[in-house]
Amino acid sequence: MVDVSSKELYEFKKILKELKEKKGKGTELVSMYVPPDKQLSDITKQMRDELGQSANIKSKTTRKNVQSAIEVISQRIRMFKQAPPNGLCLFVGMIPRGGPGTEKMETVVFEPPEEVQTYWYICDSTFFLEPLEDMIADHDVYGIAVIDRNEATIATLKGKKIDVVAHLTSGVPGKHKAGGQSQRRFDRVIENLAHEFLKRIGDHMNDEFLPIKKDLKGVILGGPGYTKEDFYNGDYMHYEIKDKVITTVDTSYTGEFGIREVIDKSAGALEELDIVKEKKLVQKFLHELHFEHGLASYGEKEITNNLQIGAVDTLLLSEELKSKKLFIECPVCGHKEEKTLKEHQSLDDLTCPECNEKMEITKEDDLIEYLVGIAENMGSSVELISTETDEGMQLYRGFGGIAGILRYHVG
């Protein structure tokens, strides 16, 4: 993933999310990606040509909207002497706000966090965002297989996302108590069935992991008993997959619980993986909570105060936190307040408690951006925590998605 600050990454993801939600009519939305070495004069010329060709569009409304978008792009391009170091991204178009006639021109122009490699000019009913999504994608993937004699579960771990791709059952019967020839014959049948089951597991792993071998950083085998070792030592996996096995882990479970157990027990092998880093940070916060003078803090008000005095070492924010920070002031008496609104919550009462006049919103911030801004000014590190793990969900539901590990105890 591209190396940017937590605030930049959050803002970039927010822009992507907003652009993804925008829909246009027909092919009226224009996406443009400009590499840093692209001559802007060439783009200006292309826009003049596009403007001429757009005159042939039959629909009067569509023609007007497309021409307006092309003119906006031309104006924005002329504001630059040359493309920025990472290039330029422009997204322009008429976005409907409701029914017909409610369209409004929207323009988003920015330098991306990673260099634009290819020039794109695309008109569609949605914005073309794949190059930007690829910039922040976690390309490294881990393959996980939890195996015992009765069942096997195969999954991929990409960044923070666990994806179970196959669950197999063996049908291998248990021990047979007959003696003599019958016992030996039955044992051979069982061993043949077990061998076929391991082959089937290997075939599924090959099918899932070989197509992504370039991004496959490693494979971890887990499970109770010795079946996983028999599988690894046998000739069941393609050699390119077998070469990527980095460790085997004893687990108490199979199935999805076994996959999560493998991740927990493979922390050493997956030290830098986001999901493990997240779990350890939240676990450290929860550990500090147990002590009377522990280095833990949570809640918006308490965290804001501790950030402002420089007491927060690491700020933990849930990615699911969707609140706004409002700054309100009375135009008559000057009384000021700050309020936080959760997603879909409305601000009903704006009456000044001092003079009963109506107060005004003077500033509105995204709560995450507001807290990250304070943290970066005070030298606190910031970690955005997903809800993909039990710990991440506990942070969000149990502590409102706002917590911190402190540098020193605050009385």
Side-chain angles (χ1 to χ4, degrees), residues 142-148 152-155 198 201-202 205-206 209 216 218-234 236-237 241-251 253-254 258-259 261-263 265-266 269-270:
Y142 286 84
I144 301 172
V146 182
I147 303 166
D148 73 359
T153 303
I154 302 167
L198 296 185
I201 296 170
M205 290 179 66
N206 294 339
F209 297 157
L216 192 66
V219 175
I220 303 170
L221 303 178
Y226 297 101
T227 307
K228 59 184 177 294
E229 280 83 10
D230 293 340
F231 176 76
Y232 176 71
N233 293 325
Y236 299 109
M237 290 178 283
I241 303 303
K242 188 171 183 178
D243 287 346
K244 289 181 180 284
V245 175
I246 53 179
T247 189
T248 59
V249 178
D250 288 323
T251 65
Y253 301 97
T254 52
I259 295 292
E261 193 177 356
V262 165
I263 293 170
K265 291 186 174 182
S266 304
L270 307 177

Side-chain angles (χ1 to χ4, degrees), residues 128-157:
F128 176 59
L129 302 174
E130 288 180 18
L132 295 182
E133 291 171 336
D134 194 53
M135 288 181 185
I136 59 169
D138 288 304
H139 293 290
D140 290 336
V141 183
Y142 286 84
I144 301 172
V146 182
I147 303 166
D148 73 359
R149 202 174 179 89
N150 298 314
E151 63 176 343
T153 303
I154 302 167
T156 58
L157 179 63

Side-chain angles (χ1 to χ4, degrees), residues 356-374:
N356 289 324
E357 294 293 328
K358 187 176 180 180
M359 300 176 73
E360 298 176 352
I361 298 172
T362 58
K363 186 181 178 184
E364 182 178 310
D365 273 343
D366 178 276
L367 182 58
I368 288 182
E369 290 181 16
Y370 172 73
L371 293 172
V372 169
I374 302 174

Side-chain angles (χ1 to χ4, degrees), residues 176 178-191:
H176 186 64
Q181 293 282 344
S182 296
Q183 178 66 54
R184 287 192 292 274
R185 186 166 56 251
F186 194 77
D187 287 343
R188 284 196 299 273
V189 170
I190 290 176
E191 289 308 312

Side-chain angles (χ1 to χ4, degrees), residues 1-10 12 112-114 136 376:
M1 184 161 55
V2 62
D3 185 20
V4 295
S5 71
S6 295
K7 185 177 183 181
E8 289 171 328
L9 181 59
Y10 173 74
F12 184 58
E114 192 173 277
I136 59 169
E376 293 188 341

Side-chain angles (χ1 to χ4, degrees), residues 200-219:
R200 197 150 53 95
I201 296 170
D203 289 342
H204 275 273
M205 290 179 66
N206 294 339
D207 291 343
E208 295 293 341
F209 297 157
L210 280 174
I212 58 171
K213 64 183 180 183
K214 288 184 179 179
D215 295 329
L216 192 66
K217 196 168 184 180
V219 175

Side-chain angles (χ1 to χ4, degrees), residues 330-335 337 349-359:
C330 177
V332 178
C333 70
H335 174 76
E337 289 184 8
D349 188 14
L350 279 174
T351 304
C352 177
E354 301 292 332
C355 66
N356 289 324
E357 294 293 328
K358 187 176 180 180
M359 300 176 73

